[in-house]
Amino acid sequence: MKNETTEKEPVMIRQAEEILEEEPWYVSAMSSLSALLMASMADLNWAGFYLVREGRLVVGPFQGKPACIHIPAGKGVCGTAAAQDRIQVVPDVHAFPGHIACDSASASEIVIPIHRGGRVAAVLDMDSPVRARFSEEDAAVLAEIVRRMEQKILWD
Ligand code: SME
């Protein structure tokens, strides 16, 4: 099931909410959310989470090929999003300085910081083999899912 039309994306928000309601513990919630995102959005080759741990990012629950396990602070798209605490929408990853190519199929990427107690605790990372895959509308929907995660997720 691939929801390609934007009017179906609010369904994805509701489904994300249901996952968080049923099990807010971060391992279960992030695993189920990565599966939901991968199944719901067209043209993805990776969807998942990196967690801030001991000053760097460590891979968390995801769907896709095995990826980089550690990302140094400030490096790549994920490290930049975490360090700057800013959503990154990258239409062409090959033009992004310091992009970390975990999967050579990736052409575009979106990364959204996730906060715990006002600090970046994790990021949502999604990759696509299609250039400029992620629209501003996608970013808004994904940011809303992240906002709900921030409200509900249990980190311990
Ligand atoms: N490309 C990312 C690394 C993570 S993988 O895409 C899953 C980056 O530059 O941060």
Side-chain angles (χ1 to χ4, degrees), residues 53-89:
R53 193 168 159 81
E54 293 169 354
R56 61 183 176 176
L57 293 172
V58 185
V59 77
F62 70 93
Q63 298 266 311
K65 289 186 184 169
C68 324
I69 293 179
H70 297 120
I71 298 178
K75 300 289 180 198
V77 185
C78 291
T80 301
Q84 296 183 0
D85 191 0
R86 201 173 292 165
I87 294 176
Q88 305 288 316
V89 182

Side-chain angles (χ1 to χ4, degrees), residues 30 49-52 57 112-115 119-124 155:
M30 287 180 173
F49 299 89
Y50 280 88
L51 297 141
V52 176
L57 293 172
I112 300 181
I114 304 170
H115 303 88
R119 289 172 161 241
V120 178
V123 297
L124 166 63
W155 294 98

